Amino acid sequence: MRPLVLGIETSCDETGVGIVRGDELLANVVASSMDLHARFGGVVPEIAARAHLEAMEPTIERALAEAGVTLGDLDAIAVTAGPGLAGALMVGVGAAKALGVATGLPVHGVNHLVGHVAADALAGGPIDEETIALLVSGGHTSLLHVRDVDADVVTLGETIDDAAGEAFDKVARLLGLGYPGGPSIDAAAVDGDPRAIAFPRGLTAPKDRERHRFDFSFSGLKTAVARHVERTGDAGELRVADVAASFREAVVDVLVTKALDACAHTGVPRLLLGGGVVANARLREVAAERCEAAGVALRVPPLALCTDNGAMIAGLGARLVSRGVAPSAPGFGVESTLDAGIVQVG
């Protein structure tokens, strides 16, 4: 069975609508409100929710046209129910439920994080073996043990303060660079020395291993950068390129080190990367080098499937439909802190 599923993603600032037939990607349309948030240096939840409202109908229409199908052709609808910004999630869930009522189609409220894992099946082939997944974005930094994408996902660790993408945004603002911070720091780091400044690696000390072995913390790193910028800026010695490169290296080092530690700890020699921060060139480079050295197979979806999108939600929905999983109950709601272990709500 290769169900035709429309997926809706509105967990943050991107309105994503995707359509798949089984694991075949037919459409992946994204309307971003990033420019509306730029002057604030980060996502404003109320602005994001309003932008979703305005973008939803035309984005659905574009996806249907791109896929060459109609609502009447669909077998099911999938929508992100969490985690994410509550107001933004409500827009997507409301739209999915309205479509479900209007068409009589079943609606599956699914997990955004697990959607990122399922995304790779749309480009890299089936995810048949258990894997460790490192998901890194503006709102999430998580390590998952994925035994079965559709039914058995365990959170090994996650950020206890800032997500990696959020740290990039805040440090970019400290350095007077643009928003979003990932691309601007990547660009600034090109001429910098990643070993110039020994910034801290959060939660990697021996004392942290018992309680936070697979957790992440970037607030201390952000503070260290702020102090360095203040000290060197006052002395007229601030080198933005070196700060950007050294900061990026610290983040990448922690991410890859903990991910490979999770592979070794679980005995799973496979690592999958997902989330918008995977667009960072240095992260992909270091992950590839260190995975090869450790004998770990690395999977990285195309960048269009790494950032938030509706196709990954449609893909996860199609997997659930194919396995005969019942749709979510009509009264299901959004869960802004939904754990990755809950693949479908309701």
Side-chain angles (χ1 to χ4, degrees):
M1 180 182 181
R2 301 177 68 237
L4 185 65
V5 179
L6 180 145
I8 297 174
E9 155 61 29
T10 62
S11 66
C12 192
D13 62 338
E14 287 154 329
T15 308
V17 178
I19 299 174
V20 305
R21 189 185 301 277
D23 57 4
E24 178 187 2
L25 177 60
L26 302 181
N28 185 23
V29 179
V30 177
S32 177
S33 62
M34 183 186 301
D35 291 344
L36 299 176
H37 306 281
R39 69 189 182 98
F40 301 102
V43 176
V44 180
E46 293 81 1
I47 293 176
R50 183 173 294 277
H52 288 312
L53 280 169
E54 295 173 352
M56 184 60 65
E57 184 175 353
T59 306
I60 291 174
E61 290 173 349
R62 284 175 57 200
L64 290 169
E66 185 176 304
V69 300
T70 67
L71 288 174
D73 297 324
L74 298 174
D75 295 308
I77 297 165
V79 61
T80 298
L85 301 174
L89 291 167
M90 289 178 187
V91 177
V93 168
K97 287 185 176 183
L99 284 175
V101 170
T103 61
L105 291 170
V107 178
H108 295 258
V110 302
N111 192 300
H112 171 85
L113 298 177
V114 183
H116 273 301
V117 179
D120 193 50
L122 299 175
I127 305 174
D128 294 330
E129 297 180 287
E130 66 179 308
T131 186
I132 298 300
L134 172 64
L135 308 181
V136 196
S137 68
H140 308 284
T141 303
S142 303
L143 263 177
L144 310 179
H145 184 182
V146 183
R147 295 186 180 91
D148 183 334
V149 180
D150 313 332
D152 190 355
V153 180
V154 177
T155 300
L156 296 176
E158 56 192 353
T159 183
I160 63 173
D161 42 57
D162 292 343
E166 187 179 7
F168 271 94
D169 292 340
K170 291 178 177 178
V171 168
R173 191 157 64 244
L174 286 170
L175 296 175
L177 303 175
Y179 175 84
S184 62
I185 286 180
D186 239 8
V190 170
D191 297 320
D193 180 359
R195 297 173 299 278
I197 308 157
F199 285 132
R201 273 64 168 162
L203 298 183
T204 58
K207 65 182 178 62
D208 298 316
R209 285 182 65 82
E210 183 176 349
R211 290 187 57 205
H212 296 292
R213 181 172 182 174
F214 300 122
D215 289 327
F216 301 91
S217 172
F218 298 106
S219 62
L221 172 59
K222 178 193 65 180
T223 300
V225 173
R227 289 175 177 166
H228 178 86
V229 169
E230 181 180 9
R231 183 176 63 255
T232 57
D234 289 344
E237 300 173 351
L238 175 62
R239 289 183 51 82
V240 171
D242 285 348
V243 175
S246 298
F247 163 76
R248 182 182 67 173
E249 198 70 8
V251 174
V252 169
D253 184 25
V254 170
L255 292 173
V256 177
T257 297
K258 285 184 176 267
L260 289 178
D261 185 28
C263 289
H265 178 72
T266 58
V268 177
R270 288 169 291 278
L271 176 63
L272 185 152
L273 303 185
V277 176
V278 175
N280 186 283
R282 184 59 178 159
L283 174 58
R284 298 197 308 276
E285 178 185 4
V286 171
E289 291 173 354
R290 292 174 61 178
C291 280
E292 182 177 7
V296 171
L298 177 66
R299 293 180 63 150
V300 185
L303 296 187
L305 293 176
C306 285
T307 53
D308 292 348
N309 64 86
M312 68 183 194
I313 301 305
L316 179 55
R319 296 176 68 96
L320 295 174
V321 172
S322 295
R323 291 182 65 152
V325 176
S328 299
F332 80 90
V334 306
E335 298 188 32
S336 61
T337 58
L338 185 65
D339 184 81
I342 302 174
V343 177
Q344 175 177 298
V345 301

